[in-house]
mmCIF file of all heavy atoms in Angstrom:
data_model
loop_
_atom_site.group_PDB
_atom_site.id
_atom_site.type_symbol
_atom_site.label_atom_id
_atom_site.label_comp_id
_atom_site.label_asym_id
_atom_site.label_seq_id
_atom_site.Cartn_x
_atom_site.Cartn_y
_atom_site.Cartn_z
ATOM 1 N N ARG A 16 -13.746 2.761 -4.604
ATOM 2 C CA ARG A 16 -12.928 1.595 -4.045
ATOM 3 C C ARG A 16 -11.956 1.236 -5.026
ATOM 4 O O ARG A 16 -12.261 0.773 -6.223
ATOM 5 C CB ARG A 16 -13.832 0.462 -3.720
ATOM 6 C CG ARG A 16 -13.159 -0.558 -3.003
ATOM 7 C CD ARG A 16 -13.919 -1.829 -3.021
ATOM 8 N NE ARG A 16 -13.503 -2.900 -1.976
ATOM 9 C CZ ARG A 16 -13.691 -4.156 -2.094
ATOM 10 N NH1 ARG A 16 -14.335 -4.666 -3.157
ATOM 11 N NH2 ARG A 16 -13.220 -4.949 -1.215
ATOM 12 N N LEU A 17 -10.755 1.296 -4.699
ATOM 13 C CA LEU A 17 -9.535 1.125 -5.547
ATOM 14 C C LEU A 17 -9.197 -0.458 -5.286
ATOM 15 O O LEU A 17 -9.245 -0.822 -4.201
ATOM 16 C CB LEU A 17 -8.439 1.932 -5.337
ATOM 17 C CG LEU A 17 -8.616 3.359 -5.553
ATOM 18 C CD1 LEU A 17 -7.305 4.152 -5.396
ATOM 19 C CD2 LEU A 17 -9.240 3.677 -6.914
ATOM 20 N N SER A 18 -8.775 -1.159 -6.204
ATOM 21 C CA SER A 18 -8.268 -2.487 -6.142
ATOM 22 C C SER A 18 -6.882 -2.569 -6.718
ATOM 23 O O SER A 18 -6.557 -1.916 -7.656
ATOM 24 C CB SER A 18 -9.205 -3.502 -6.857
ATOM 25 O OG SER A 18 -10.476 -3.520 -6.185
ATOM 26 N N CYS A 19 -6.081 -3.440 -6.236
ATOM 27 C CA CYS A 19 -4.760 -3.639 -6.725
ATOM 28 C C CYS A 19 -4.531 -5.137 -6.759
ATOM 29 O O CYS A 19 -4.406 -5.857 -5.731
ATOM 30 C CB CYS A 19 -3.729 -3.099 -5.800
ATOM 31 S SG CYS A 19 -2.020 -3.469 -6.252
ATOM 32 N N ALA A 20 -4.565 -5.639 -7.991
ATOM 33 C CA ALA A 20 -4.356 -7.151 -8.108
ATOM 34 C C ALA A 20 -2.913 -7.473 -8.518
ATOM 35 O O ALA A 20 -2.307 -6.858 -9.464
ATOM 36 C CB ALA A 20 -5.280 -7.638 -9.255
ATOM 37 N N ALA A 21 -2.327 -8.373 -7.799
ATOM 38 C CA ALA A 21 -0.981 -8.786 -7.997
ATOM 39 C C ALA A 21 -0.841 -10.107 -8.775
ATOM 40 O O ALA A 21 -1.725 -10.965 -8.469
ATOM 41 C CB ALA A 21 -0.050 -8.890 -6.842
ATOM 42 N N SER A 22 -0.004 -10.204 -9.635
ATOM 43 C CA SER A 22 0.211 -11.409 -10.446
ATOM 44 C C SER A 22 1.609 -11.761 -10.604
ATOM 45 O O SER A 22 2.470 -10.809 -10.493
ATOM 46 C CB SER A 22 -0.574 -11.359 -11.788
ATOM 47 O OG SER A 22 -0.010 -10.339 -12.589
ATOM 48 N N GLY A 23 1.911 -12.960 -10.810
ATOM 49 C CA GLY A 23 3.366 -13.364 -11.004
ATOM 50 C C GLY A 23 4.077 -13.689 -9.751
ATOM 51 O O GLY A 23 5.227 -14.280 -9.815
ATOM 52 N N ARG A 24 3.496 -13.442 -8.565
ATOM 53 C CA ARG A 24 4.141 -13.879 -7.286
ATOM 54 C C ARG A 24 3.084 -13.669 -6.236
ATOM 55 O O ARG A 24 2.132 -12.792 -6.402
ATOM 56 C CB ARG A 24 5.254 -12.767 -7.274
ATOM 57 C CG ARG A 24 6.099 -13.038 -5.929
ATOM 58 C CD ARG A 24 7.325 -12.057 -5.979
ATOM 59 N NE ARG A 24 7.993 -12.115 -4.617
ATOM 60 C CZ ARG A 24 9.098 -11.359 -4.357
ATOM 61 N NH1 ARG A 24 9.490 -10.589 -5.259
ATOM 62 N NH2 ARG A 24 9.681 -11.517 -3.194
ATOM 63 N N THR A 25 3.264 -14.372 -5.235
ATOM 64 C CA THR A 25 2.387 -14.258 -4.046
ATOM 65 C C THR A 25 3.047 -13.252 -3.082
ATOM 66 O O THR A 25 4.222 -13.405 -2.724
ATOM 67 C CB THR A 25 2.333 -15.548 -3.319
ATOM 68 O OG1 THR A 25 1.628 -16.558 -4.331
ATOM 69 C CG2 THR A 25 1.303 -15.492 -2.111
ATOM 70 N N PHE A 26 2.243 -12.331 -2.513
ATOM 71 C CA PHE A 26 2.804 -11.328 -1.655
ATOM 72 C C PHE A 26 2.189 -11.419 -0.237
ATOM 73 O O PHE A 26 2.129 -10.385 0.448
ATOM 74 C CB PHE A 26 2.454 -9.890 -2.273
ATOM 75 C CG PHE A 26 3.173 -9.552 -3.492
ATOM 76 C CD1 PHE A 26 2.686 -9.363 -4.687
ATOM 77 C CD2 PHE A 26 4.641 -9.369 -3.380
ATOM 78 C CE1 PHE A 26 3.461 -9.141 -5.809
ATOM 79 C CE2 PHE A 26 5.372 -9.087 -4.452
ATOM 80 C CZ PHE A 26 4.831 -8.979 -5.726
ATOM 81 N N SER A 27 1.735 -12.571 0.109
ATOM 82 C CA SER A 27 1.087 -12.662 1.403
ATOM 83 C C SER A 27 2.056 -12.424 2.587
ATOM 84 O O SER A 27 1.543 -12.201 3.692
ATOM 85 C CB SER A 27 0.552 -14.055 1.572
ATOM 86 O OG SER A 27 1.687 -15.048 1.372
ATOM 87 N N ARG A 28 3.317 -12.302 2.413
ATOM 88 C CA ARG A 28 4.313 -12.015 3.532
ATOM 89 C C ARG A 28 4.830 -10.636 3.422
ATOM 90 O O ARG A 28 5.789 -10.315 4.070
ATOM 91 C CB ARG A 28 5.457 -13.076 3.544
ATOM 92 C CG ARG A 28 4.884 -14.502 3.871
ATOM 93 C CD ARG A 28 6.056 -15.371 4.183
ATOM 94 N NE ARG A 28 6.802 -15.622 2.908
ATOM 95 C CZ ARG A 28 8.055 -16.082 2.830
ATOM 96 N NH1 ARG A 28 8.642 -16.649 4.025
ATOM 97 N NH2 ARG A 28 8.752 -16.272 1.809
ATOM 98 N N TYR A 29 4.336 -9.836 2.446
ATOM 99 C CA TYR A 29 4.864 -8.469 2.273
ATOM 100 C C TYR A 29 3.810 -7.320 2.640
ATOM 101 O O TYR A 29 2.635 -7.512 2.291
ATOM 102 C CB TYR A 29 5.194 -8.316 0.817
ATOM 103 C CG TYR A 29 6.284 -9.175 0.401
ATOM 104 C CD1 TYR A 29 6.162 -10.624 0.090
ATOM 105 C CD2 TYR A 29 7.607 -8.709 0.203
ATOM 106 C CE1 TYR A 29 7.156 -11.356 -0.410
ATOM 107 C CE2 TYR A 29 8.678 -9.493 -0.088
ATOM 108 C CZ TYR A 29 8.394 -10.821 -0.370
ATOM 109 O OH TYR A 29 9.464 -11.690 -0.823
ATOM 110 N N THR A 30 4.315 -6.439 3.215
ATOM 111 C CA THR A 30 3.544 -5.185 3.426
ATOM 112 C C THR A 30 3.235 -4.570 2.075
ATOM 113 O O THR A 30 4.063 -4.448 1.257
ATOM 114 C CB THR A 30 4.286 -4.071 4.422
ATOM 115 O OG1 THR A 30 4.322 -4.698 5.616
ATOM 116 C CG2 THR A 30 3.619 -2.863 4.338
ATOM 117 N N MET A 31 2.039 -4.076 1.984
ATOM 118 C CA MET A 31 1.583 -3.344 0.742
ATOM 119 C C MET A 31 1.040 -2.034 1.073
ATOM 120 O O MET A 31 0.666 -1.698 2.138
ATOM 121 C CB MET A 31 0.590 -4.226 -0.040
ATOM 122 C CG MET A 31 0.982 -5.599 -0.375
ATOM 123 S SD MET A 31 -0.373 -6.608 -1.211
ATOM 124 C CE MET A 31 -0.445 -5.759 -2.756
ATOM 125 N N GLY A 32 1.174 -1.183 0.011
ATOM 126 C CA GLY A 32 0.800 0.242 0.351
ATOM 127 C C GLY A 32 0.108 0.906 -0.905
ATOM 128 O O GLY A 32 0.293 0.483 -1.982
ATOM 129 N N TRP A 33 -0.506 2.121 -0.516
ATOM 130 C CA TRP A 33 -1.040 2.981 -1.592
ATOM 131 C C TRP A 33 -0.270 4.355 -1.491
ATOM 132 O O TRP A 33 -0.079 4.874 -0.364
ATOM 133 C CB TRP A 33 -2.523 3.214 -1.388
ATOM 134 C CG TRP A 33 -3.356 2.092 -1.690
ATOM 135 C CD1 TRP A 33 -3.877 1.074 -0.858
ATOM 136 C CD2 TRP A 33 -3.807 1.657 -2.994
ATOM 137 N NE1 TRP A 33 -4.589 0.151 -1.513
ATOM 138 C CE2 TRP A 33 -4.607 0.527 -2.902
ATOM 139 C CE3 TRP A 33 -3.720 2.191 -4.270
ATOM 140 C CZ2 TRP A 33 -5.244 -0.159 -3.881
ATOM 141 C CZ3 TRP A 33 -4.326 1.532 -5.305
ATOM 142 C CH2 TRP A 33 -5.039 0.415 -5.043
ATOM 143 N N PHE A 34 0.047 4.834 -2.574
ATOM 144 C CA PHE A 34 0.657 6.212 -2.751
ATOM 145 C C PHE A 34 -0.084 6.927 -3.766
ATOM 146 O O PHE A 34 -0.879 6.342 -4.600
ATOM 147 C CB PHE A 34 2.145 6.075 -3.160
ATOM 148 C CG PHE A 34 3.036 5.535 -2.125
ATOM 149 C CD1 PHE A 34 2.986 4.164 -1.849
ATOM 150 C CD2 PHE A 34 3.880 6.299 -1.317
ATOM 151 C CE1 PHE A 34 3.909 3.529 -0.887
ATOM 152 C CE2 PHE A 34 4.760 5.799 -0.347
ATOM 153 C CZ PHE A 34 4.787 4.382 -0.159
ATOM 154 N N ARG A 35 0.029 8.265 -3.852
ATOM 155 C CA ARG A 35 -0.684 9.098 -4.834
ATOM 156 C C ARG A 35 0.289 10.227 -5.251
ATOM 157 O O ARG A 35 1.083 10.647 -4.535
ATOM 158 C CB ARG A 35 -1.960 9.688 -4.301
ATOM 159 C CG ARG A 35 -1.897 10.741 -3.021
ATOM 160 C CD ARG A 35 -3.224 10.996 -2.508
ATOM 161 N NE ARG A 35 -3.201 11.857 -1.352
ATOM 162 C CZ ARG A 35 -4.253 12.226 -0.624
ATOM 163 N NH1 ARG A 35 -5.521 11.727 -1.025
ATOM 164 N NH2 ARG A 35 -4.121 12.994 0.399
ATOM 165 N N HIS A 36 0.067 10.642 -6.396
ATOM 166 C CA HIS A 36 0.839 11.714 -7.006
ATOM 167 C C HIS A 36 -0.054 12.720 -7.673
ATOM 168 O O HIS A 36 -0.707 12.277 -8.745
ATOM 169 C CB HIS A 36 1.828 11.115 -8.025
ATOM 170 C CG HIS A 36 2.910 12.018 -8.442
ATOM 171 N ND1 HIS A 36 3.857 11.654 -9.270
ATOM 172 C CD2 HIS A 36 3.231 13.388 -8.045
ATOM 173 C CE1 HIS A 36 4.714 12.744 -9.436
ATOM 174 N NE2 HIS A 36 4.317 13.713 -8.681
ATOM 175 N N ALA A 37 -0.154 13.984 -7.214
ATOM 176 C CA ALA A 37 -0.938 14.916 -7.801
ATOM 177 C C ALA A 37 -0.066 15.880 -8.477
ATOM 178 O O ALA A 37 1.183 15.984 -8.279
ATOM 179 C CB ALA A 37 -1.677 15.759 -6.749
ATOM 180 N N PRO A 38 -0.592 16.511 -9.607
ATOM 181 C CA PRO A 38 0.220 17.410 -10.576
ATOM 182 C C PRO A 38 0.838 18.424 -9.634
ATOM 183 O O PRO A 38 0.273 19.094 -8.864
ATOM 184 C CB PRO A 38 -0.871 17.988 -11.435
ATOM 185 C CG PRO A 38 -1.923 16.945 -11.445
ATOM 186 C CD PRO A 38 -2.012 16.363 -10.141
ATOM 187 N N GLY A 39 2.149 18.685 -9.921
ATOM 188 C CA GLY A 39 2.838 19.763 -9.097
ATOM 189 C C GLY A 39 3.188 19.433 -7.803
ATOM 190 O O GLY A 39 3.744 20.239 -7.040
ATOM 191 N N LYS A 40 2.869 18.210 -7.233
ATOM 192 C CA LYS A 40 3.268 17.857 -5.991
ATOM 193 C C LYS A 40 4.097 16.595 -5.999
ATOM 194 O O LYS A 40 4.179 15.834 -6.989
ATOM 195 C CB LYS A 40 2.058 17.586 -5.169
ATOM 196 C CG LYS A 40 1.129 18.833 -5.010
ATOM 197 C CD LYS A 40 -0.050 18.425 -4.162
ATOM 198 C CE LYS A 40 -1.034 19.660 -3.864
ATOM 199 N NZ LYS A 40 -2.095 19.335 -3.113
ATOM 200 N N GLU A 41 4.723 16.289 -4.933
ATOM 201 C CA GLU A 41 5.553 15.192 -4.818
ATOM 202 C C GLU A 41 4.690 13.934 -4.424
ATOM 203 O O GLU A 41 3.568 14.051 -3.980
ATOM 204 C CB GLU A 41 6.576 15.263 -3.620
ATOM 205 C CG GLU A 41 7.662 16.329 -3.937
ATOM 206 C CD GLU A 41 8.758 16.381 -2.838
ATOM 207 O OE1 GLU A 41 8.537 15.611 -1.834
ATOM 208 O OE2 GLU A 41 9.742 17.133 -3.078
ATOM 209 N N ARG A 42 5.201 12.802 -4.743
ATOM 210 C CA ARG A 42 4.476 11.553 -4.339
ATOM 211 C C ARG A 42 4.222 11.486 -2.855
ATOM 212 O O ARG A 42 5.106 11.813 -2.122
ATOM 213 C CB ARG A 42 5.226 10.280 -4.787
ATOM 214 C CG ARG A 42 4.520 9.105 -4.543
ATOM 215 C CD ARG A 42 5.507 7.908 -4.986
ATOM 216 N NE ARG A 42 6.706 7.761 -4.125
ATOM 217 C CZ ARG A 42 7.809 7.012 -4.403
ATOM 218 N NH1 ARG A 42 7.743 6.380 -5.573
ATOM 219 N NH2 ARG A 42 8.763 6.933 -3.626
ATOM 220 N N GLN A 43 3.008 11.078 -2.541
ATOM 221 C CA GLN A 43 2.621 10.994 -1.211
ATOM 222 C C GLN A 43 2.076 9.714 -0.609
ATOM 223 O O GLN A 43 1.446 8.991 -1.361
ATOM 224 C CB GLN A 43 1.436 12.096 -0.875
ATOM 225 C CG GLN A 43 0.923 12.323 0.557
ATOM 226 C CD GLN A 43 -0.284 13.103 0.609
ATOM 227 O OE1 GLN A 43 -1.168 13.115 -0.234
ATOM 228 N NE2 GLN A 43 -0.215 13.907 1.591
ATOM 229 N N PHE A 44 2.506 9.283 0.463
ATOM 230 C CA PHE A 44 2.104 8.117 1.169
ATOM 231 C C PHE A 44 0.631 8.224 1.444
ATOM 232 O O PHE A 44 0.193 9.325 1.962
ATOM 233 C CB PHE A 44 2.876 7.755 2.312
ATOM 234 C CG PHE A 44 2.316 6.713 3.146
ATOM 235 C CD1 PHE A 44 2.440 5.379 2.931
ATOM 236 C CD2 PHE A 44 1.582 7.092 4.388
ATOM 237 C CE1 PHE A 44 1.927 4.383 3.717
ATOM 238 C CE2 PHE A 44 1.049 6.089 5.173
ATOM 239 C CZ PHE A 44 1.246 4.780 4.838
ATOM 240 N N VAL A 45 -0.231 7.260 1.292
ATOM 241 C CA VAL A 45 -1.622 7.183 1.630
ATOM 242 C C VAL A 45 -1.874 6.269 2.653
ATOM 243 O O VAL A 45 -2.443 6.675 3.744
ATOM 244 C CB VAL A 45 -2.479 6.977 0.295
ATOM 245 C CG1 VAL A 45 -3.942 6.904 0.804
ATOM 246 C CG2 VAL A 45 -2.214 7.991 -0.725
ATOM 247 N N ALA A 46 -1.549 5.072 2.490
ATOM 248 C CA ALA A 46 -1.847 3.999 3.445
ATOM 249 C C ALA A 46 -1.092 2.781 3.292
ATOM 250 O O ALA A 46 -0.522 2.590 2.121
ATOM 251 C CB ALA A 46 -3.340 3.637 3.430
ATOM 252 N N ALA A 47 -0.835 1.936 4.231
ATOM 253 C CA ALA A 47 -0.183 0.719 4.088
ATOM 254 C C ALA A 47 -0.762 -0.387 5.032
ATOM 255 O O ALA A 47 -1.606 0.003 6.045
ATOM 256 C CB ALA A 47 1.257 0.865 4.543
ATOM 257 N N ILE A 48 -0.630 -1.550 4.740
ATOM 258 C CA ILE A 48 -1.181 -2.695 5.461
ATOM 259 C C ILE A 48 -0.121 -3.826 5.590
ATOM 260 O O ILE A 48 0.575 -4.088 4.571
ATOM 261 C CB ILE A 48 -2.424 -3.171 4.858
ATOM 262 C CG1 ILE A 48 -3.204 -4.284 5.726
ATOM 263 C CG2 ILE A 48 -2.262 -3.714 3.408
ATOM 264 C CD1 ILE A 48 -4.596 -4.526 5.269
ATOM 265 N N SER A 49 0.012 -4.334 6.792
ATOM 266 C CA SER A 49 0.977 -5.399 6.944
ATOM 267 C C SER A 49 0.571 -6.704 6.290
ATOM 268 O O SER A 49 -0.525 -6.821 5.994
ATOM 269 C CB SER A 49 1.205 -5.612 8.446
ATOM 270 O OG SER A 49 -0.097 -6.060 9.080
ATOM 271 N N TRP A 50 1.520 -7.696 6.234
ATOM 272 C CA TRP A 50 1.206 -8.894 5.617
ATOM 273 C C TRP A 50 0.034 -9.689 6.213
ATOM 274 O O TRP A 50 -0.650 -10.344 5.453
ATOM 275 C CB TRP A 50 2.499 -9.784 5.554
ATOM 276 C CG TRP A 50 2.875 -10.184 6.932
ATOM 277 C CD1 TRP A 50 3.553 -9.386 7.828
ATOM 278 C CD2 TRP A 50 2.667 -11.412 7.643
ATOM 279 N NE1 TRP A 50 3.695 -10.054 9.068
ATOM 280 C CE2 TRP A 50 3.123 -11.313 8.898
ATOM 281 C CE3 TRP A 50 2.034 -12.649 7.252
ATOM 282 C CZ2 TRP A 50 3.099 -12.437 9.807
ATOM 283 C CZ3 TRP A 50 1.985 -13.595 8.102
ATOM 284 C CH2 TRP A 50 2.506 -13.630 9.403
ATOM 285 N N ASN A 51 -0.034 -9.560 7.531
ATOM 286 C CA ASN A 51 -1.026 -10.324 8.207
ATOM 287 C C ASN A 51 -2.268 -9.459 8.618
ATOM 288 O O ASN A 51 -3.099 -9.826 9.448
ATOM 289 C CB ASN A 51 -0.480 -10.971 9.419
ATOM 290 C CG ASN A 51 0.138 -9.886 10.440
ATOM 291 O OD1 ASN A 51 0.099 -8.735 10.160
ATOM 292 N ND2 ASN A 51 0.473 -10.445 11.561
ATOM 293 N N VAL A 52 -2.369 -8.279 8.076
ATOM 294 C CA VAL A 52 -3.399 -7.279 8.231
ATOM 295 C C VAL A 52 -3.594 -6.833 9.754
ATOM 296 O O VAL A 52 -4.549 -5.991 10.033
ATOM 297 C CB VAL A 52 -4.944 -7.788 7.744
ATOM 298 C CG1 VAL A 52 -4.752 -8.241 6.336
ATOM 299 C CG2 VAL A 52 -5.384 -8.799 8.689
ATOM 300 N N ASP A 53 -2.614 -7.124 10.513
ATOM 301 C CA ASP A 53 -2.704 -6.702 11.890
ATOM 302 C C ASP A 53 -2.450 -5.257 12.055
ATOM 303 O O ASP A 53 -2.875 -4.589 13.067
ATOM 304 C CB ASP A 53 -1.793 -7.458 12.786
ATOM 305 C CG ASP A 53 -2.323 -8.871 13.179
ATOM 306 O OD1 ASP A 53 -3.465 -9.113 12.855
ATOM 307 O OD2 ASP A 53 -1.559 -9.667 13.884
ATOM 308 N N ASN A 54 -1.604 -4.749 11.163
ATOM 309 C CA ASN A 54 -1.172 -3.370 11.391
ATOM 310 C C ASN A 54 -1.520 -2.556 10.034
ATOM 311 O O ASN A 54 -1.356 -3.001 8.922
ATOM 312 C CB ASN A 54 0.369 -3.315 11.527
ATOM 313 C CG ASN A 54 0.718 -3.895 12.836
ATOM 314 O OD1 ASN A 54 0.315 -3.451 13.860
ATOM 315 N ND2 ASN A 54 1.586 -4.894 12.826
ATOM 316 N N THR A 55 -1.996 -1.272 10.326
ATOM 317 C CA THR A 55 -2.184 -0.431 9.074
ATOM 318 C C THR A 55 -1.719 0.963 9.461
ATOM 319 O O THR A 55 -1.469 1.283 10.631
ATOM 320 C CB THR A 55 -3.717 -0.231 8.881
ATOM 321 O OG1 THR A 55 -4.454 0.207 10.016
ATOM 322 C CG2 THR A 55 -4.308 -1.548 8.333
ATOM 323 N N ALA A 56 -1.423 1.818 8.561
ATOM 324 C CA ALA A 56 -0.954 3.144 8.704
ATOM 325 C C ALA A 56 -1.673 4.088 7.785
ATOM 326 O O ALA A 56 -1.886 3.578 6.523
ATOM 327 C CB ALA A 56 0.504 3.298 8.499
ATOM 328 N N TYR A 57 -1.924 5.317 8.055
ATOM 329 C CA TYR A 57 -2.635 6.192 7.191
ATOM 330 C C TYR A 57 -1.934 7.583 7.273
ATOM 331 O O TYR A 57 -1.447 7.997 8.270
ATOM 332 C CB TYR A 57 -4.060 6.387 7.532
ATOM 333 C CG TYR A 57 -4.964 5.056 7.384
ATOM 334 C CD1 TYR A 57 -5.114 4.222 8.335
ATOM 335 C CD2 TYR A 57 -5.548 4.776 6.148
ATOM 336 C CE1 TYR A 57 -5.811 3.067 8.229
ATOM 337 C CE2 TYR A 57 -6.303 3.675 5.926
ATOM 338 C CZ TYR A 57 -6.406 2.771 7.114
ATOM 339 O OH TYR A 57 -7.154 1.657 6.864
ATOM 340 N N GLU A 58 -1.934 8.281 6.106
ATOM 341 C CA GLU A 58 -1.626 9.596 6.137
ATOM 342 C C GLU A 58 -2.561 10.369 6.820
ATOM 343 O O GLU A 58 -3.766 10.124 6.790
ATOM 344 C CB GLU A 58 -1.394 10.132 4.609
ATOM 345 C CG GLU A 58 -0.742 11.432 4.456
ATOM 346 C CD GLU A 58 -1.619 12.609 4.555
ATOM 347 O OE1 GLU A 58 -2.838 12.420 4.052
ATOM 348 O OE2 GLU A 58 -1.051 13.641 5.054
#
């Protein structure tokens, strides 16, 4: 279980996402969640 803690600003109105980067590959989208958690997207 990965966690991402934000500080210095509130991001409650912003979509947030996870990306990953494996050696020898391009950065890849993993998942995203909307500000109000109503919408999600996954690779």
Side-chain angles (χ1 to χ4, degrees):
R16 188 192 193 208
L17 305 184
S18 298
C19 172
S22 61
R24 182 175 174 180
T25 298
F26 289 112
S27 58
R28 294 188 296 169
Y29 294 80
T30 290
M31 300 179 72
W33 289 96
F34 291 77
R35 64 188 180 186
H36 194 182
K40 297 183 179 180
E41 294 186 353
R42 182 181 65 194
Q43 182 185 42
F44 168 80
V45 176
I48 186 166
S49 63
W50 65 280
N51 60 356
V52 308
D53 278 357
N54 295 301
T55 58
Y57 295 91
E58 195 272 327

